[in-house]
Amino acid sequence: MGVKERRDRERLGMRRAILDAAREIAAHEGWHAVTIRRIAEVIEYSPPTIYEYFPSKEALLVEVSHEAFGLLLGDLRGARDATPDPRERLRSMVAAYWAFVWKHPELYQVISGLGGVNVCEPGDECLHTEGTQVAELFREVLQTILPPANRTAEDLENKVMVIWSLFHGFTALLMAGRIPMEARDRALELGQQALGDLVSAW
Amino acid sequence: MGVKERRDRERLGMRRAILDAAREIAAHEGWHAVTIRRIAEVIEYSPPTIYEYFPSKEALLVEVSHEAFGLLLGDLRGARDATPDPRERLRSMVAAYWAFVWKHPELYQVISGLGGVNVCEPGDECLHTEGTQVAELFREVLQTILPPANRTAEDLENKVMVIWSLFHGFTALLMAGRIPMEARDRALELGQQALGDLVSAW
DNA sequence: GGCATTAATCTAACATTGTTAGATTAACGT
DNA sequence: ACGTTAATCTAACAATGTTAGATTAATGCC
């Protein structure tokens, strides 16, 4: 009998609705506006119902973060597979990263602790795996670019951090209003240029 | 009669106490623990008293941010004046920036919207002046380093953004736990190395 | 010195947050 | 048809930022 299956499907659908509602509110009004009662209103259920599907608001946001990381990783892999040339691959992946940030600012905020969200404390294992995967993708492509002498594991890891920091830094400063938004479109180009300079030096 | 002066002094002292309490709580327990009642408890006054000195919690945090920016700018100027050699100056300023971040993580968080604080919305003029001043300091030293051909105002501004983004990115990724804290000490060295490579390319 | 005025502070409360307890209703298995 | 289980709701809790109104203390004036 498929009753259990249907129930599972319904539970899954409800989770989906809750997650989507949270994301939608965040997209339109920012994460500060994402409250349990507001989500409940959107999905047309009472607030406590949400706790039948997530143990806490924190857990809900962690789930959103996991899904967001999934999307980002997908985009990065797509960009990687779009061209076989190593340098072009790196450019493409960086462009995809940048595109993701500004296509889904609210998702980028929740996975990187921007915009006043901060889902896992630093030191928590929470999203460590996903962070590692992003780094891994850049590590792989860098390995095919750098001269063999500079390909020790630590060397690659260091260089990935530099690249990631550069673009995340741009994003964070822009989103925090510390750099004016007019600079946004320029930033990708600047970053790519700097990246090229760095790769040449490595 | 010095009664008005004394009152002003007392008001100032009270503001000081409130600001220090907020900062101290944040330093020990993070900004999420900084609540009006908690501050009131520390200064041994009732919660509403705080509203006689600050119109809102937000305003209080903005004031903390202003002071924090003041400290950072002071450190940066000190580092600038520590040596006359342009390249060494840049290195020194970057080192001072990095030192400030990890000496007062809570202050850096509040001025850069990390750690779940977010004092001014992006697009707000709130801390725009201070951000500009930080950029200005780096702009000045860069101007003495770059070859004359690459010294247009826009060029300098762009390069400052690259430098700032690099180091802020490191900090943000570390503080968000996206990069493991073991990499912290390495990061300054890595950043300095990358900065050297970039300056050479410019 | 006595008294009105003004400033500083407090108690009590409000609305909004996340979250839980307990009742109620609907669906299911036997 | 009925007991059991799952899903949902109403009502409430504690903690947040914030405000109103009373109270107390200090000041200026005669």
Side-chain angles (χ1 to χ4, degrees):
Chain A
M1 65 197 67
V3 44
K4 184 179 185 310
E5 282 74 4
R6 195 208 59 216
R7 281 234 250 242
D8 288 354
R9 216 164 42 231
E10 282 174 355
R11 275 197 79 82
L12 221 66
M14 192 66 154
R15 277 179 69 93
R16 219 0 342 106
I18 293 172
L19 293 166
D20 288 347
R23 185 180 151 181
E24 174 143 328
I25 298 165
H28 288 73
E29 311 168 44
W31 284 105
H32 72 278
V34 177
T35 124
I36 294 290
R37 282 172 176 79
R38 191 95 175 60
I39 295 173
E41 193 184 339
V42 170
I43 64 175
E44 299 182 293
Y45 278 80
S46 75
T49 302
I50 292 171
Y51 289 88
E52 298 293 321
Y53 296 87
F54 296 94
S56 68
K57 185 186 179 186
E58 168 84 4
L60 199 166
L61 295 185
V62 169
E63 183 62 29
V64 174
S65 301
H66 278 126
E67 295 194 350
F69 252 122
L71 288 177
L72 174 58
L73 285 166
D75 285 5
L76 288 178
R77 295 202 180 93
R80 175 196 58 188
D81 298 340
T83 166
D85 179 65
R87 278 191 162 74
E88 194 51 42
R89 272 192 168 174
L90 184 54
R91 275 189 71 84
S92 168
M93 286 169 66
V94 164
Y97 189 93
W98 196 250
F100 179 88
V101 168
W102 301 108
K103 190 170 184 183
H104 319 288
E106 81 283 4
L107 294 186
Y108 191 78
Q109 284 173 347
V110 82
I111 69 181
S112 61
L114 261 38
V117 238
N118 135 295
V119 303
C120 326
E121 314 292 296
D124 203 345
E125 287 299 309
C126 198
L127 295 169
H128 185 268
T129 308
E130 270 95 346
T132 308
Q133 283 176 277
V134 170
E136 177 66 11
L137 281 177
F138 281 100
R139 204 186 65 78
E140 283 170 14
V141 61
L142 255 194
Q143 193 162 22
T144 66
I145 293 180
L146 298 190
N150 303 352
R151 281 190 203 157
T152 75
E154 198 189 340
D155 226 11
L156 285 171
E157 196 190 332
N158 288 344
K159 264 122 190 177
V160 166
M161 285 197 295
V162 169
I163 296 175
W164 197 5
S165 295
L166 178 60
F167 286 94
H168 177 65
F170 261 122
T171 306
L173 288 174
L174 282 165
M175 282 191 176
R178 223 49 78 235
I179 279 181
M181 271 296 175
E182 297 93 77
R184 200 187 82 176
D185 295 331
R186 226 182 331 159
L188 173 58
E189 207 178 338
L190 288 172
Q192 294 276 23
Q193 175 66 46
L195 180 52
D197 293 343
L198 286 171
V199 170
S200 299
W202 291 340
Chain B
M1 62 197 71
V3 44
K4 185 180 184 311
E5 283 74 1
R6 194 207 61 213
R7 283 235 250 241
D8 287 354
R9 216 164 42 232
E10 283 174 354
R11 275 198 78 81
L12 222 66
M14 192 66 155
R15 278 179 69 93
R16 224 351 349 103
I18 293 172
L19 293 166
D20 288 347
R23 186 180 151 180
E24 173 142 329
I25 298 165
H28 288 73
E29 311 169 43
W31 285 105
H32 72 278
V34 177
T35 127
I36 294 290
R37 284 174 176 78
R38 191 94 174 61
I39 295 172
E41 192 184 340
V42 170
I43 65 174
E44 299 182 294
Y45 279 80
S46 74
T49 302
I50 292 170
Y51 289 89
E52 298 293 320
Y53 297 86
F54 296 95
S56 67
K57 185 186 178 183
E58 168 84 5
L60 199 166
L61 295 185
V62 169
E63 183 62 30
V64 174
S65 301
H66 278 125
E67 296 194 350
F69 252 122
L71 287 177
L72 174 58
L73 285 166
D75 284 4
L76 288 178
R77 295 200 180 94
R80 176 196 58 188
D81 299 341
T83 165
D85 178 66
R87 278 192 161 72
E88 194 51 42
R89 273 194 167 173
L90 184 55
R91 274 189 70 85
S92 168
M93 286 169 66
V94 163
Y97 189 93
W98 195 250
F100 179 88
V101 168
W102 301 109
K103 190 170 185 182
H104 320 286
E106 81 284 3
L107 294 186
Y108 191 78
Q109 285 172 348
V110 81
I111 69 182
S112 61
L114 261 38
V117 239
N118 136 295
V119 303
C120 326
E121 315 290 296
D124 203 346
E125 287 299 308
C126 198
L127 295 170
H128 185 268
T129 308
E130 270 95 344
T132 308
Q133 283 177 276
V134 170
E136 177 65 11
L137 281 176
F138 281 100
R139 205 186 64 79
E140 283 171 14
V141 62
L142 256 193
Q143 194 162 21
T144 66
I145 293 180
L146 298 190
N150 302 353
R151 281 190 204 158
T152 75
E154 198 189 339
D155 226 11
L156 285 171
E157 197 190 330
N158 288 344
K159 264 121 190 177
V160 166
M161 285 197 294
V162 169
I163 296 174
W164 197 5
S165 295
L166 178 60
F167 286 94
H168 177 65
F170 261 122
T171 306
L173 288 174
L174 282 165
M175 282 191 176
R178 223 49 79 234
I179 279 181
M181 272 297 177
E182 296 94 77
R184 198 187 84 179
D185 296 331
R186 228 182 329 159
L188 173 58
E189 206 178 337
L190 287 173
Q192 295 275 24
Q193 175 66 45
L195 180 52
D197 292 342
L198 286 171
V199 170
S200 299
W202 290 340

